[in-house]
Amino acid sequence: MLTDTAPGASRAIVIGAGLGGLASAMRLGAKGYAVTVLDRLDGPGGRGSAITEAGHRFDLGPTIVTVPQVFRELWAACGRDFDAEVDLRPLDPFYEIRWPDGARFAARQDTDAMRAEVARLSPTDVAGFERFLVDSERRYRFGFEDLGRRPMNRLKDLIAVLPTFARLRADRSVQAHAARRFRDPRLQMAFSFHPLFIGGDPFRVTSMYILVSHLEKAFGVHYAIGGVAAIAEAMVRVIRDQGGEVIYGAEADEIAIQGRRATGVRLTDGRALPADIVVSNADAGHTYDRLLRNHRRRRWTGPRLRRTRWSMSLFVWYFGTRGTAGMWPDVGHHTIVNGPRYGGLVRDIFRRGVLAEDMSLYLHRPSVTDPTVAPDGGDTFYALSPVPHLGHARAVDWQAEAEPYREKVAKVLEKTLPGFQAHLSASRVFTPETFRDRYLSPHGAGFSIEPRILQSAWFRPHNVSEEAEGLYLTGAGTHPGAGLPGVISSAEVLEQLVPPPARPLAPPLKVAAE
Ligand SMILES: Cc1cc2nc3c(=O)[nH]c(=O)nc-3n(C[C@H](O)[C@H](O)[C@H](O)COP(=O)(O)OP(=O)(O)OC[C@H]3O[C@@H](n4cnc5c(N)ncnc54)[C@H](O)[C@@H]3O)c2cc1C
């Protein structure tokens, strides 16, 4: 909006073209706002963006698409058809988990196949598995369909749900719940590790998150051809078709406030952009600590943000191989390679804040599903190791540690991908410092504020800001939280809180109820 493209219309500025920012822009566009999305990067998607190196396309972050209906509903709210614009493919198996003793577990949608997998590892745990499925579905109905899709910015919203929290034993952790249903420690891990994908410590995060097992069973695990970046690009097309604009290389330095009201955004290059409402998809910590640094804050003050617990960070090695067609046929799209420890490793990462000698890896191999990610005969991978964020007392010096750590990752991977290092054709690492500097993520956290029970729902920074009128938050640091379904839902919540535009760009879309 360097020249106002829609003079006179009510303008919404969205800071950040992450998936939550883009989804919010789409919903505000459908509501009739003239929308401007700003991002400091050179393309859309934020953590869900991609880079190409030596012919390999690397999806930098999210790879697992669950609950595809959140995308379908978002597109429908804009009068569009998601499936006509994004090619989503179901995966079977969803992923494979491996342990150092040679055991493997393939997660699948089919309940009989899952029962057989459980029985293969531990026949006495089949009954517990059946109960776990029922537990998971109950928490899905409440935690996702109800709580996760409506505003939680009033204390009474929280008080109303406390009895259900108590009944469902939300005070218990995911791991503690899994341990009540499974005796085999490998199955305890297989049914409790999911919070790590949204930055939660399985030994601390509320057992409400066991709902993920139901999400996977009911709606599958999917991959978007072209990666999540292809979804982000499709979102940008919708926004532009609505008359909105998406501007890259534009970094917000400050949210302008007059009185108590947000009135626009000042960029780092000095330009000032006026707006009727401002939506921040930048990390909630960055939004309050940096973008509102000159505004007196009541709730999200510096001391409070320093007391906040942040999710873990990540070390990610993106690498490509050439001449590897047909190699490692047992390595599918998603593999979890466990190290020797689970609880101890999680404790080192989240509580002790030390970089452990051992590691557990998530290995992404999209080339088995999507030929567009690698040159002919090649493969594209990433290996992700959860590591402490930079805010711990003994922060790791990643300038010194990145290469030795990459070599350790490679050594672990040799067991899964024997001989792969002789075929390397591309290599890039992201450390917690990259997360801090690229996404302006406090302490380089991978998933913003840790999803503990006292940092969830009403306790999280609200979608409608507590600090300024006309300011809204979307994305991983606000309600309901990180992960693609979470940030897309945050836009749905935001849409319920933003008033209709006083001067609409276009009449709001009326979408027929399905
Ligand atoms: C390695 C990795 C793997 C993951 N895997 C999965 C997965 O498989 N499935 C899943 O569902 N989720 C996964 N996640 C989580 C998921 O990717 C994130 O929770 C989600 O993408 C975050 O979206 P967001 O809208 O909060 O914004 P972000 O992606 O964090 O984007 C925020 C944007 O704001 C921009 N920005 C920040 N400050 C400013 C400023 N001052 N001015 C302008 N722009 C600014 C940034 O450049 C960025 O583009 C993964 C995350 C990571 C890191």
PDB file of all heavy atoms in Angstrom, residues 5 12 47 67 86-87 91 94 101 110 130 140 150 196 248 322-323 325 355 360 367 376 399 407 431 449 461:
ATOM      1  N   THR A   5      -4.216   1.644  -2.665  1.00  0.00           N
ATOM      2  CA  THR A   5      -4.885   1.014  -3.806  1.00  0.00           C
ATOM      3  C   THR A   5      -6.408   1.041  -3.685  1.00  0.00           C
ATOM      4  O   THR A   5      -7.108   0.772  -4.640  1.00  0.00           O
ATOM      5  CB  THR A   5      -4.435  -0.452  -3.918  1.00  0.00           C
ATOM      6  OG1 THR A   5      -4.510  -1.027  -2.614  1.00  0.00           O
ATOM      7  CG2 THR A   5      -3.013  -0.563  -4.443  1.00  0.00           C
ATOM      8  N   ALA A  12      -7.092  -3.042   6.611  1.00  0.00           N
ATOM      9  CA  ALA A  12      -6.477  -3.912   7.628  1.00  0.00           C
ATOM     10  C   ALA A  12      -5.045  -4.182   7.193  1.00  0.00           C
ATOM     11  O   ALA A  12      -4.813  -4.573   6.044  1.00  0.00           O
ATOM     12  CB  ALA A  12      -7.232  -5.224   7.729  1.00  0.00           C
ATOM     13  N   ARG A  47       7.362 -19.833   8.528  1.00  0.00           N
ATOM     14  CA  ARG A  47       7.984 -21.133   8.808  1.00  0.00           C
ATOM     15  C   ARG A  47       7.594 -22.148   7.737  1.00  0.00           C
ATOM     16  O   ARG A  47       8.283 -23.150   7.550  1.00  0.00           O
ATOM     17  CB  ARG A  47       7.562 -21.630  10.179  1.00  0.00           C
ATOM     18  CG  ARG A  47       8.301 -20.927  11.305  1.00  0.00           C
ATOM     19  CD  ARG A  47       7.518 -21.062  12.602  1.00  0.00           C
ATOM     20  NE  ARG A  47       8.300 -20.753  13.767  1.00  0.00           N
ATOM     21  CZ  ARG A  47       8.502 -19.525  14.253  1.00  0.00           C
ATOM     22  NH1 ARG A  47       8.002 -18.471  13.637  1.00  0.00           N
ATOM     23  NH2 ARG A  47       9.206 -19.335  15.342  1.00  0.00           N
ATOM     24  N   VAL A  67      -6.075 -32.474   9.490  1.00  0.00           N
ATOM     25  CA  VAL A  67      -7.342 -31.731   9.503  1.00  0.00           C
ATOM     26  C   VAL A  67      -7.496 -30.837   8.256  1.00  0.00           C
ATOM     27  O   VAL A  67      -7.659 -29.614   8.373  1.00  0.00           O
ATOM     28  CB  VAL A  67      -7.485 -30.844  10.768  1.00  0.00           C
ATOM     29  CG1 VAL A  67      -8.951 -30.807  11.195  1.00  0.00           C
ATOM     30  CG2 VAL A  67      -6.638 -31.272  11.912  1.00  0.00           C
ATOM     31  N   VAL A  86      -5.216 -26.571  -4.586  1.00  0.00           N
ATOM     32  CA  VAL A  86      -4.098 -27.246  -3.914  1.00  0.00           C
ATOM     33  C   VAL A  86      -4.284 -28.747  -4.061  1.00  0.00           C
ATOM     34  O   VAL A  86      -5.382 -29.266  -3.872  1.00  0.00           O
ATOM     35  CB  VAL A  86      -4.036 -26.857  -2.410  1.00  0.00           C
ATOM     36  CG1 VAL A  86      -2.919 -27.630  -1.708  1.00  0.00           C
ATOM     37  CG2 VAL A  86      -3.839 -25.361  -2.228  1.00  0.00           C
ATOM     38  N   ASP A  87      -3.194 -29.434  -4.429  1.00  0.00           N
ATOM     39  CA  ASP A  87      -3.251 -30.881  -4.652  1.00  0.00           C
ATOM     40  C   ASP A  87      -2.766 -31.589  -3.382  1.00  0.00           C
ATOM     41  O   ASP A  87      -1.569 -31.741  -3.159  1.00  0.00           O
ATOM     42  CB  ASP A  87      -2.329 -31.206  -5.849  1.00  0.00           C
ATOM     43  CG  ASP A  87      -2.368 -32.677  -6.214  1.00  0.00           C
ATOM     44  OD1 ASP A  87      -3.090 -33.435  -5.548  1.00  0.00           O
ATOM     45  OD2 ASP A  87      -1.651 -33.049  -7.172  1.00  0.00           O
ATOM     46  N   LEU A  91      -1.414 -39.793   2.906  1.00  0.00           N
ATOM     47  CA  LEU A  91      -0.262 -40.691   3.033  1.00  0.00           C
ATOM     48  C   LEU A  91      -0.674 -41.969   3.766  1.00  0.00           C
ATOM     49  O   LEU A  91      -1.456 -41.927   4.706  1.00  0.00           O
ATOM     50  CB  LEU A  91       0.861 -40.022   3.827  1.00  0.00           C
ATOM     51  CG  LEU A  91       1.498 -38.764   3.239  1.00  0.00           C
ATOM     52  CD1 LEU A  91       2.683 -38.335   4.100  1.00  0.00           C
ATOM     53  CD2 LEU A  91       1.957 -38.977   1.801  1.00  0.00           C
ATOM     54  N   PHE A  94       1.134 -43.153   7.685  1.00  0.00           N
ATOM     55  CA  PHE A  94       1.338 -41.740   8.004  1.00  0.00           C
ATOM     56  C   PHE A  94       2.822 -41.466   8.246  1.00  0.00           C
ATOM     57  O   PHE A  94       3.394 -40.515   7.740  1.00  0.00           O
ATOM     58  CB  PHE A  94       0.607 -41.352   9.298  1.00  0.00           C
ATOM     59  CG  PHE A  94      -0.887 -41.435   9.228  1.00  0.00           C
ATOM     60  CD1 PHE A  94      -1.618 -41.547  10.403  1.00  0.00           C
ATOM     61  CD2 PHE A  94      -1.565 -41.362   8.027  1.00  0.00           C
ATOM     62  CE1 PHE A  94      -3.004 -41.601  10.381  1.00  0.00           C
ATOM     63  CE2 PHE A  94      -2.947 -41.412   7.986  1.00  0.00           C
ATOM     64  CZ  PHE A  94      -3.661 -41.545   9.171  1.00  0.00           C
ATOM     65  N   ASP A 101      16.411 -50.583  19.412  1.00  0.00           N
ATOM     66  CA  ASP A 101      16.409 -52.054  19.486  1.00  0.00           C
ATOM     67  C   ASP A 101      15.953 -52.691  18.179  1.00  0.00           C
ATOM     68  O   ASP A 101      15.798 -53.909  18.087  1.00  0.00           O
ATOM     69  CB  ASP A 101      15.502 -52.525  20.648  1.00  0.00           C
ATOM     70  CG  ASP A 101      14.024 -52.167  20.419  1.00  0.00           C
ATOM     71  OD1 ASP A 101      13.701 -51.572  19.362  1.00  0.00           O
ATOM     72  OD2 ASP A 101      13.184 -52.487  21.289  1.00  0.00           O
ATOM     73  N   ASP A 110      -6.084 -46.860   9.208  1.00  0.00           N
ATOM     74  CA  ASP A 110      -6.942 -48.020   9.415  1.00  0.00           C
ATOM     75  C   ASP A 110      -6.777 -48.569  10.846  1.00  0.00           C
ATOM     76  O   ASP A 110      -5.666 -48.916  11.261  1.00  0.00           O
ATOM     77  CB  ASP A 110      -6.556 -49.089   8.373  1.00  0.00           C
ATOM     78  CG  ASP A 110      -7.401 -50.327   8.528  1.00  0.00           C
ATOM     79  OD1 ASP A 110      -8.594 -50.248   8.218  1.00  0.00           O
ATOM     80  OD2 ASP A 110      -6.874 -51.347   9.016  1.00  0.00           O
ATOM     81  N   GLU A 130      -7.431 -49.426  22.573  1.00  0.00           N
ATOM     82  CA  GLU A 130      -8.857 -49.153  22.299  1.00  0.00           C
ATOM     83  C   GLU A 130      -9.356 -48.014  23.204  1.00  0.00           C
ATOM     84  O   GLU A 130     -10.079 -47.128  22.763  1.00  0.00           O
ATOM     85  CB  GLU A 130      -9.722 -50.393  22.564  1.00  0.00           C
ATOM     86  CG  GLU A 130      -9.262 -51.680  21.881  1.00  0.00           C
ATOM     87  CD  GLU A 130      -9.592 -51.739  20.397  1.00  0.00           C
ATOM     88  OE1 GLU A 130     -10.184 -50.777  19.892  1.00  0.00           O
ATOM     89  OE2 GLU A 130      -9.225 -52.746  19.750  1.00  0.00           O
ATOM     90  N   TYR A 140     -10.840 -34.515  21.425  1.00  0.00           N
ATOM     91  CA  TYR A 140     -10.943 -33.808  20.136  1.00  0.00           C
ATOM     92  C   TYR A 140     -12.238 -32.987  20.089  1.00  0.00           C
ATOM     93  O   TYR A 140     -12.230 -31.811  19.736  1.00  0.00           O
ATOM     94  CB  TYR A 140     -10.904 -34.815  18.976  1.00  0.00           C
ATOM     95  CG  TYR A 140     -11.444 -34.229  17.698  1.00  0.00           C
ATOM     96  CD1 TYR A 140     -10.663 -33.381  16.922  1.00  0.00           C
ATOM     97  CD2 TYR A 140     -12.755 -34.486  17.285  1.00  0.00           C
ATOM     98  CE1 TYR A 140     -11.177 -32.799  15.765  1.00  0.00           C
ATOM     99  CE2 TYR A 140     -13.268 -33.911  16.135  1.00  0.00           C
ATOM    100  CZ  TYR A 140     -12.475 -33.067  15.383  1.00  0.00           C
ATOM    101  OH  TYR A 140     -12.982 -32.484  14.257  1.00  0.00           O
ATOM    102  N   ARG A 150     -13.171 -21.072  18.972  1.00  0.00           N
ATOM    103  CA  ARG A 150     -13.915 -19.887  19.404  1.00  0.00           C
ATOM    104  C   ARG A 150     -13.029 -19.030  20.290  1.00  0.00           C
ATOM    105  O   ARG A 150     -12.044 -19.501  20.859  1.00  0.00           O
ATOM    106  CB  ARG A 150     -15.198 -20.289  20.110  1.00  0.00           C
ATOM    107  CG  ARG A 150     -15.001 -21.048  21.385  1.00  0.00           C
ATOM    108  CD  ARG A 150     -16.368 -21.449  21.886  1.00  0.00           C
ATOM    109  NE  ARG A 150     -16.315 -22.425  22.925  1.00  0.00           N
ATOM    110  CZ  ARG A 150     -16.356 -22.121  24.224  1.00  0.00           C
ATOM    111  NH1 ARG A 150     -16.420 -20.866  24.601  1.00  0.00           N
ATOM    112  NH2 ARG A 150     -16.328 -23.066  25.126  1.00  0.00           N
ATOM    113  N   LEU A 196       5.463 -32.546  20.521  1.00  0.00           N
ATOM    114  CA  LEU A 196       6.762 -32.001  20.073  1.00  0.00           C
ATOM    115  C   LEU A 196       6.613 -31.280  18.734  1.00  0.00           C
ATOM    116  O   LEU A 196       7.362 -30.361  18.435  1.00  0.00           O
ATOM    117  CB  LEU A 196       7.802 -33.122  19.966  1.00  0.00           C
ATOM    118  CG  LEU A 196       8.290 -33.672  21.314  1.00  0.00           C
ATOM    119  CD1 LEU A 196       9.034 -34.995  21.125  1.00  0.00           C
ATOM    120  CD2 LEU A 196       9.184 -32.641  22.008  1.00  0.00           C
ATOM    121  N   TYR A 248       6.447  -8.064   0.124  1.00  0.00           N
ATOM    122  CA  TYR A 248       7.594  -8.725   0.752  1.00  0.00           C
ATOM    123  C   TYR A 248       8.708  -7.713   0.994  1.00  0.00           C
ATOM    124  O   TYR A 248       8.712  -6.612   0.425  1.00  0.00           O
ATOM    125  CB  TYR A 248       8.092  -9.864  -0.149  1.00  0.00           C
ATOM    126  CG  TYR A 248       6.996 -10.857  -0.454  1.00  0.00           C
ATOM    127  CD1 TYR A 248       6.565 -11.085  -1.767  1.00  0.00           C
ATOM    128  CD2 TYR A 248       6.363 -11.546   0.577  1.00  0.00           C
ATOM    129  CE1 TYR A 248       5.550 -11.977  -2.045  1.00  0.00           C
ATOM    130  CE2 TYR A 248       5.335 -12.441   0.310  1.00  0.00           C
ATOM    131  CZ  TYR A 248       4.934 -12.647  -1.006  1.00  0.00           C
ATOM    132  OH  TYR A 248       3.922 -13.530  -1.278  1.00  0.00           O
ATOM    133  N   ARG A 322      22.146 -37.067  -4.875  1.00  0.00           N
ATOM    134  CA  ARG A 322      22.033 -37.416  -6.308  1.00  0.00           C
ATOM    135  C   ARG A 322      22.360 -38.883  -6.488  1.00  0.00           C
ATOM    136  O   ARG A 322      23.163 -39.429  -5.740  1.00  0.00           O
ATOM    137  CB  ARG A 322      23.061 -36.599  -7.124  1.00  0.00           C
ATOM    138  CG  ARG A 322      22.775 -35.122  -7.190  1.00  0.00           C
ATOM    139  CD  ARG A 322      21.756 -34.797  -8.277  1.00  0.00           C
ATOM    140  NE  ARG A 322      21.313 -33.422  -8.121  1.00  0.00           N
ATOM    141  CZ  ARG A 322      21.733 -32.400  -8.879  1.00  0.00           C
ATOM    142  NH1 ARG A 322      22.605 -32.606  -9.843  1.00  0.00           N
ATOM    143  NH2 ARG A 322      21.271 -31.185  -8.679  1.00  0.00           N
ATOM    144  N   GLY A 323      21.745 -39.482  -7.504  1.00  0.00           N
ATOM    145  CA  GLY A 323      22.039 -40.882  -7.813  1.00  0.00           C
ATOM    146  C   GLY A 323      21.560 -41.837  -6.731  1.00  0.00           C
ATOM    147  O   GLY A 323      22.196 -42.867  -6.477  1.00  0.00           O
ATOM    148  N   ALA A 325      18.214 -42.915  -6.564  1.00  0.00           N
ATOM    149  CA  ALA A 325      16.922 -43.526  -6.926  1.00  0.00           C
ATOM    150  C   ALA A 325      16.955 -45.003  -6.547  1.00  0.00           C
ATOM    151  O   ALA A 325      17.932 -45.690  -6.832  1.00  0.00           O
ATOM    152  CB  ALA A 325      16.681 -43.365  -8.425  1.00  0.00           C
ATOM    153  N   LEU A 355      22.403 -29.104  25.459  1.00  0.00           N
ATOM    154  CA  LEU A 355      22.453 -29.852  24.202  1.00  0.00           C
ATOM    155  C   LEU A 355      22.993 -31.241  24.522  1.00  0.00           C
ATOM    156  O   LEU A 355      24.163 -31.399  24.893  1.00  0.00           O
ATOM    157  CB  LEU A 355      23.375 -29.125  23.215  1.00  0.00           C
ATOM    158  CG  LEU A 355      23.409 -29.688  21.795  1.00  0.00           C
ATOM    159  CD1 LEU A 355      22.029 -29.625  21.146  1.00  0.00           C
ATOM    160  CD2 LEU A 355      24.424 -28.922  20.943  1.00  0.00           C
ATOM    161  N   SER A 360      17.066 -37.610  19.081  1.00  0.00           N
ATOM    162  CA  SER A 360      16.037 -38.301  18.307  1.00  0.00           C
ATOM    163  C   SER A 360      15.746 -37.410  17.111  1.00  0.00           C
ATOM    164  O   SER A 360      15.718 -36.184  17.246  1.00  0.00           O
ATOM    165  CB  SER A 360      14.763 -38.490  19.135  1.00  0.00           C
ATOM    166  OG  SER A 360      14.984 -39.453  20.137  1.00  0.00           O
ATOM    167  N   SER A 367      10.613 -36.659  -1.420  1.00  0.00           N
ATOM    168  CA  SER A 367      10.806 -37.146  -2.790  1.00  0.00           C
ATOM    169  C   SER A 367      10.112 -38.477  -3.037  1.00  0.00           C
ATOM    170  O   SER A 367       9.912 -38.838  -4.200  1.00  0.00           O
ATOM    171  CB  SER A 367      12.309 -37.231  -3.108  1.00  0.00           C
ATOM    172  OG  SER A 367      13.052 -37.560  -1.965  1.00  0.00           O
ATOM    173  N   ASP A 376      16.020 -35.349 -11.198  1.00  0.00           N
ATOM    174  CA  ASP A 376      15.822 -36.769 -11.554  1.00  0.00           C
ATOM    175  C   ASP A 376      16.869 -37.659 -10.893  1.00  0.00           C
ATOM    176  O   ASP A 376      18.054 -37.343 -10.932  1.00  0.00           O
ATOM    177  CB  ASP A 376      15.953 -36.944 -13.080  1.00  0.00           C
ATOM    178  CG  ASP A 376      14.617 -36.668 -13.741  1.00  0.00           C
ATOM    179  OD1 ASP A 376      13.640 -36.462 -12.995  1.00  0.00           O
ATOM    180  OD2 ASP A 376      14.581 -36.644 -14.991  1.00  0.00           O
ATOM    181  N   GLN A 399      27.313 -20.784  16.578  1.00  0.00           N
ATOM    182  CA  GLN A 399      28.346 -20.472  15.580  1.00  0.00           C
ATOM    183  C   GLN A 399      29.417 -21.563  15.634  1.00  0.00           C
ATOM    184  O   GLN A 399      29.921 -22.017  14.617  1.00  0.00           O
ATOM    185  CB  GLN A 399      29.006 -19.112  15.899  1.00  0.00           C
ATOM    186  CG  GLN A 399      28.082 -17.922  15.809  1.00  0.00           C
ATOM    187  CD  GLN A 399      27.590 -17.668  14.394  1.00  0.00           C
ATOM    188  OE1 GLN A 399      28.301 -17.921  13.427  1.00  0.00           O
ATOM    189  NE2 GLN A 399      26.369 -17.187  14.273  1.00  0.00           N
ATOM    190  N   GLU A 407      27.517 -33.022  11.965  1.00  0.00           N
ATOM    191  CA  GLU A 407      28.243 -34.285  11.774  1.00  0.00           C
ATOM    192  C   GLU A 407      27.672 -35.389  12.662  1.00  0.00           C
ATOM    193  O   GLU A 407      27.572 -36.542  12.244  1.00  0.00           O
ATOM    194  CB  GLU A 407      29.744 -34.082  12.059  1.00  0.00           C
ATOM    195  CG  GLU A 407      30.417 -33.312  10.925  1.00  0.00           C
ATOM    196  CD  GLU A 407      31.809 -32.794  11.280  1.00  0.00           C
ATOM    197  OE1 GLU A 407      32.376 -33.218  12.315  1.00  0.00           O
ATOM    198  OE2 GLU A 407      32.321 -31.953  10.522  1.00  0.00           O
ATOM    199  N   THR A 431      19.821 -23.291  12.630  1.00  0.00           N
ATOM    200  CA  THR A 431      20.014 -23.477  14.071  1.00  0.00           C
ATOM    201  C   THR A 431      19.012 -22.573  14.790  1.00  0.00           C
ATOM    202  O   THR A 431      18.326 -21.753  14.161  1.00  0.00           O
ATOM    203  CB  THR A 431      21.441 -23.071  14.486  1.00  0.00           C
ATOM    204  OG1 THR A 431      21.537 -21.647  14.441  1.00  0.00           O
ATOM    205  CG2 THR A 431      22.508 -23.698  13.597  1.00  0.00           C
ATOM    206  N   ILE A 449       5.196 -19.506  22.145  1.00  0.00           N
ATOM    207  CA  ILE A 449       4.995 -19.756  23.576  1.00  0.00           C
ATOM    208  C   ILE A 449       4.637 -21.226  23.803  1.00  0.00           C
ATOM    209  O   ILE A 449       3.777 -21.772  23.108  1.00  0.00           O
ATOM    210  CB  ILE A 449       3.883 -18.822  24.108  1.00  0.00           C
ATOM    211  CG1 ILE A 449       4.378 -17.365  24.025  1.00  0.00           C
ATOM    212  CG2 ILE A 449       3.473 -19.188  25.524  1.00  0.00           C
ATOM    213  CD1 ILE A 449       3.320 -16.327  24.351  1.00  0.00           C
ATOM    214  N   PRO A 461      -1.552 -14.925  24.964  1.00  0.00           N
ATOM    215  CA  PRO A 461      -1.905 -13.593  24.442  1.00  0.00           C
ATOM    216  C   PRO A 461      -3.186 -13.702  23.608  1.00  0.00           C
ATOM    217  O   PRO A 461      -3.302 -14.602  22.771  1.00  0.00           O
ATOM    218  CB  PRO A 461      -0.696 -13.245  23.566  1.00  0.00           C
ATOM    219  CG  PRO A 461       0.435 -14.018  24.165  1.00  0.00           C
ATOM    220  CD  PRO A 461      -0.173 -15.305  24.648  1.00  0.00           C
TER     221      PRO A 461
END
